[in-house]
Amino acid sequence: MTLTIAITSDFICPWCLVAETRLNQAIVQLNSAVEIEYLWFPFELNPQMPAAGMDRKAYRTGKFGSWEYSQGLDAKTVQATQADGINFRYDLMSVTPNTLKAHRLTWFAGNQGKATEMAVRILNAYFTEGRNIGDVETLATLAAEIGIDAAQVKAFLESEAGILEVKDLEQQALAQGVYGVPAIRIGREIISGAQSVEVFLAALQQAVNELASA
């Protein structure tokens, strides 16, 4: 049996990394030999962000009214996810990126069967290493780390390739009723937000039961 899990996320959403981490923990606990197939759908929280991104302090100050309030939000994320084993490093971030290139790279990697590896690597590069995931050189380096040719990635990202495909996937997610991230469809259920491992496990078990009885 194969269970398809559709993940809609954006790479600047910390809760997307948290949800993916908790989902994996739930899959480990799932008492089933079912095969898991992932589908990744892009979502841009800041579609109007300049291609080069923006200075993070300036952007977050403008968005939230003060840098101190922004830092408080970051601290709350860290506090709420202490049990998840994620080493958030907001102190290393200098740029709030435009994520279109990162989504295009995930689509490109998906053509080589590596969408999940690529997406997880990008999420961790941003949130635990403070890397600029809107930068072509950075993305090419990350791709090379999972076995994708860096020169091919650079040529791809410096072209217009993949843009229409990513935009189409974004529209597909909207058509499925996804208006925020993370949103994870497991079987017939869509789980919004970074829910607990127990919530993900229950949804996985229900989906497996439905597959078995089909």
Side-chain angles (χ1 to χ4, degrees):
M1 294 190 302
T2 299
L3 174 61
T4 300
I5 298 177
I7 302 175
T8 305
S9 66
D10 194 10
F11 294 108
I12 57 169
C13 165
W15 301 107
C16 291
L17 176 57
V18 174
E20 195 275 337
T21 300
R22 292 177 181 173
L23 172 63
N24 282 335
Q25 292 172 357
I27 289 171
V28 170
Q29 297 179 32
L30 183 64
N31 186 21
S32 172
V34 68
E35 294 288 326
I36 303 292
E37 177 189 41
Y38 292 99
L39 298 177
W40 288 85
F41 287 89
F43 192 100
E44 292 179 79
L45 288 166
N46 295 326
Q48 306 306 318
M49 177 67 65
M54 291 180 61
D55 175 82
R56 186 172 190 267
K57 185 174 182 179
Y59 172 74
R60 300 270 294 186
T61 298
K63 181 175 181 178
F64 295 112
S66 77
W67 178 237
E68 290 72 24
Y69 183 73
S70 169
Q71 288 181 305
L73 293 175
D74 292 343
K76 286 181 180 179
T77 306
V78 173
Q79 185 176 11
T81 59
Q82 287 181 339
D84 295 294
I86 302 170
N87 183 28
F88 282 103
R89 292 299 305 271
Y90 290 107
D91 58 306
L92 298 178
M93 297 177 180
S94 59
V95 174
T96 295
N98 179 303
T99 57
L100 179 57
K101 288 187 178 69
H103 287 303
R104 289 170 59 209
L105 176 54
T106 301
W107 176 83
F108 181 81
N111 293 331
Q112 302 182 33
K114 294 188 174 185
T116 298
E117 280 184 84
M118 194 72 260
V120 172
R121 184 67 193 96
I122 295 170
L123 279 166
N124 279 282
Y126 183 58
F127 284 109
T128 72
E129 301 163 25
R131 308 275 285 277
N132 180 5
I133 58 169
D135 175 69
V136 170
E137 294 286 347
T138 298
L139 291 171
T141 298
L142 296 175
E145 291 176 10
I146 67 163
I148 300 176
D149 184 78
Q152 286 185 3
V153 169
K154 286 178 64 176
F156 169 76
L157 291 177
E158 288 170 352
S159 73
E160 301 292 307
I163 294 177
L164 291 179
E165 288 82 357
V166 166
K167 295 297 184 182
D168 182 60
L169 288 171
E170 290 178 344
Q171 290 303 311
Q172 287 183 41
L174 290 173
Q176 293 171 14
V178 175
Y179 298 103
V181 289
I184 300 178
R185 178 166 53 82
I186 302 173
R188 293 183 294 180
E189 183 175 359
I190 294 179
I191 298 175
S192 298
Q195 302 296 331
S196 66
V197 174
E198 290 74 23
V199 168
F200 283 119
L201 183 57
L204 288 164
Q205 192 63 62
Q206 176 65 28
V208 168
N209 294 343
E210 290 174 359
L211 276 176
S213 62

